[in-house]
Amino acid sequence: MALVAALLTLVGCATSPTGRKQLMLVSNQKMSQLGVEAFSAMGKKGKFAQAPREQAYATCVAQSLIAVLPPRWRNQNWEVRIIDDDSANAFALPGGRIGVNRGMFKIATSQDQLATVLGHELSHVVARHGAERMSDNMAVQGAVLAGTLYGASRGNDAGRTMAALGLGAEVGILLPFSRTQEAEADTLGQRYMAEAGFDPRAAVALWQKMENKSGGKMPAFLSTHPAPDNRARTLARKAQQLLPVYRKARANGHQPHCSLQPQSASRDT
């Protein structure tokens, strides 16, 4: 198993925007293809809502954020669609596709709060988290197979070995990586929203509302998201650090005016 892990690490090592080392076995081109195909499939299944006001609003927020992304992502042709779903959710896909559920507008009730959500989702794309998770799964599958073959050679039951290794890999490797990715998307997304002229303090209120909406809490060690209390404290601390970035962005002309109303209300800086 050590040999499999070593080989996988050698063939695909990358660095995230925060400097974290990543296993990367899937190309940007492949991920973009998969993202576009998945989005197209949603359209063919009738998932997209005819919601011009919501789409214009979400596009306004998204484009303000996209304008401050690194060039590779900023120069893509992005498409925003509203998903006919009452749950509070949104996503961004490689290949320049963004979906926002109808239900998200009931939770993210200001442009700053919607920017929190979309900044977070865009950060998953910029940090190549989808490709990283696919790569992690490929690595785990290879390690599980190697461990199963080794166990069988030692006289162990192959099925039980596979099950034990699979569970251990999921709890010990895949979910912790997911928590790391979520925290990284929080960090990047909050910075992007500040650089785009959205108030980074809105991130705290948004995630608190999301937590209240979701109800019960999963144990932190099995959750795919950072523990809610830690998340709120971290976002609040970083919001204060990002206020100078936000104010400088506003002074330099990054003053988004996105609204579901016919005319955008003026905002304090």
Side-chain angles (χ1 to χ4, degrees), residues 58-150:
T59 299
C60 176
V61 173
Q63 290 296 340
S64 297
L65 290 164
I66 291 165
V68 302
L69 296 182
R72 175 194 293 180
W73 314 105
R74 184 170 66 237
N75 296 331
Q76 286 189 353
N77 293 319
W78 289 87
E79 178 183 353
V80 181
R81 297 299 299 265
I82 305 303
I83 311 301
D84 194 11
D85 190 318
D86 288 332
S87 63
N89 203 359
F91 61 85
L93 299 174
R97 302 295 186 268
I98 297 172
V100 183
N101 286 11
R102 281 186 181 275
M104 180 53 71
F105 300 105
K106 298 177 182 178
I107 301 296
T109 53
S110 71
Q111 65 168 7
D112 299 303
Q113 291 181 8
L114 186 58
T116 299
V117 177
L118 297 186
H120 178 93
E121 298 304 323
L122 285 166
S123 294
H124 280 308
V125 176
V126 172
R128 301 185 64 198
H129 288 161
E132 183 182 15
R133 293 191 72 172
M134 287 185 66
S135 301
D136 290 342
N137 275 289
M138 292 166 65
V140 169
Q141 289 169 5
V144 168
L145 177 59
T148 301
L149 294 174
Y150 175 76

Side-chain angles (χ1 to χ4, degrees), residues 12-77:
C13 186
T15 304
S16 79
T18 64
R20 180 175 59 84
K21 295 298 182 182
Q22 299 171 292
L23 177 65
M24 202 65 64
L25 306 176
V26 188
S27 69
N28 284 327
Q29 182 178 2
K30 181 61 176 179
M31 291 303 299
S32 294
Q33 176 187 339
L34 293 173
V36 171
E37 289 176 354
F39 204 69
S40 177
M42 292 184 70
K44 292 177 181 177
K45 293 179 180 178
K47 300 291 187 181
F48 298 152
Q50 296 300 317
R53 290 174 63 247
E54 289 85 351
Q55 185 167 331
Y57 172 44
T59 299
C60 176
V61 173
Q63 290 296 340
S64 297
L65 290 164
I66 291 165
V68 302
L69 296 182
R72 175 194 293 180
W73 314 105
R74 184 170 66 237
N75 296 331
Q76 286 189 353
N77 293 319

